[in-house]
Amino acid sequence: MALSPNFHSRRRTDIDPARVPPGQYVTSGFPVLSAGPTPKTPPADWTFTVRGAVDRPRTWTWDEFRNLPSETITVDIHCVTKWSKLDTSWTGVPLETLLGRTRTQAHHVLAFSDGGYTTNMPLADISDGRAWLVYAYDGAPLAPEHGGPVRLLVPHLYFWKSAKWVRGLELRNQDEPGFWERYGYHNYGDPWREQRYTGD
């Protein structure tokens, strides 16, 4: 996972330690991390698809997606590289809005993105108000380096699960490890249990 060479930040000391998972430090910056080049998909060319073990696949265009009900949420995020950023503000569509009419017996999901990135998690972890497709950060359109035009936001898991440049979800009857999970990262990624790597 590469860190932007232009990133500079100070560690904060004015926060409630109960908000910070073990082994993390709080930053006021927003590090840019990626496994490869930054895709730059114009919103007009962006679509989002739900496929796999579903009654029927569905695809939304950018305009259809932006017409869905959205909300602004404030959450803490925690990166596996040990930084945490508190009180981040995002605007996006709750995932249950997109999945609400989908019939499935699946228990797992594989998110897939531009650039070939994937990440896996239990379907329950993106349901019931626990995950969003976000298109704005801090009141502004989401920049490509932070995953724009749309990224997945699953704040209760390490941030690599919040896939940048997301283009869809594949619902699955069996779990399939994603990109970083195949390279030794933990299959689930709970920051409060320090599940960074396989065996943690």
Side-chain angles (χ1 to χ4, degrees), residues 74-86:
T74 300
V75 295
D76 301 340
I77 55 176
H78 311 288
C79 183
V80 70
T81 59
K82 300 190 176 182
W83 60 262
S84 292
K85 185 170 177 63
L86 307 184

Side-chain angles (χ1 to χ4, degrees), residues 8-12 25-29:
H8 300 281
S9 181
R10 293 181 180 175
R11 297 188 181 204
R12 288 181 52 186
Y25 69 90
V26 175
T27 180
S28 57

Side-chain angles (χ1 to χ4, degrees), residues 3-89:
L3 177 65
S4 167
N6 297 319
F7 169 67
H8 300 281
S9 181
R10 293 181 180 175
R11 297 188 181 204
R12 288 181 52 186
T13 58
D14 60 332
I15 47 90
D16 178 0
R19 295 179 65 181
V20 185
Q24 299 287 111
Y25 69 90
V26 175
T27 180
S28 57
F30 198 162
V32 175
L33 300 149
S34 62
T38 297
K40 295 182 179 177
T41 303
D45 296 336
W46 181 89
T47 59
F48 186 83
T49 298
V50 174
R51 69 189 189 195
V54 297
D55 56 334
R56 65 183 181 95
R58 292 203 60 187
T59 297
W60 291 261
T61 65
W62 174 256
D63 288 340
E64 290 169 338
F65 169 72
R66 290 292 280 109
N67 283 327
L68 295 172
S70 62
E71 59 189 30
T72 297
I73 62 270
T74 300
V75 295
D76 301 340
I77 55 176
H78 311 288
C79 183
V80 70
T81 59
K82 300 190 176 182
W83 60 262
S84 292
K85 185 170 177 63
L86 307 184
D87 297 319
T88 62
S89 177

Side-chain angles (χ1 to χ4, degrees), residues 86-109:
L86 307 184
D87 297 319
T88 62
S89 177
W90 309 83
T91 302
V93 177
L95 264 174
E96 58 259 33
T97 299
L98 289 95
L99 296 175
R101 296 182 180 178
T102 299
R103 290 198 296 263
T104 182
Q105 298 297 316
H107 296 287
H108 305 278
V109 64

Side-chain angles (χ1 to χ4, degrees), residues 70-189:
S70 62
E71 59 189 30
T72 297
I73 62 270
T74 300
V75 295
D76 301 340
I77 55 176
H78 311 288
C79 183
V80 70
T81 59
K82 300 190 176 182
W83 60 262
S84 292
K85 185 170 177 63
L86 307 184
D87 297 319
T88 62
S89 177
W90 309 83
T91 302
V93 177
L95 264 174
E96 58 259 33
T97 299
L98 289 95
L99 296 175
R101 296 182 180 178
T102 299
R103 290 198 296 263
T104 182
Q105 298 297 316
H107 296 287
H108 305 278
V109 64
L110 189 72
F112 57 92
S113 302
D114 284 331
Y117 182 78
T118 59
T119 191
N120 62 311
M121 61 204 82
L123 182 57
D125 281 271
I126 61 167
S127 305
D128 300 323
R130 306 182 83 192
W132 296 262
L133 292 180
V134 293
Y135 54 82
Y137 173 74
D138 205 18
L142 189 60
E145 60 265 29
H146 289 303
V150 179
R151 81 177 294 158
L152 184 60
L153 179 65
V154 191
H156 66 282
L157 299 178
Y158 278 124
F159 208 42
W160 91 81
K161 296 288 186 176
S162 295
K164 294 180 179 181
W165 316 301
V166 69
R167 296 300 294 271
L169 300 174
E170 182 173 295
L171 276 59
R172 300 180 56 84
N173 295 315
Q174 294 183 331
D175 193 20
E176 177 182 327
F179 178 86
W180 286 115
E181 294 82 6
R182 293 194 301 270
Y183 281 93
Y185 280 53
H186 197 277
N187 200 53
Y188 184 65

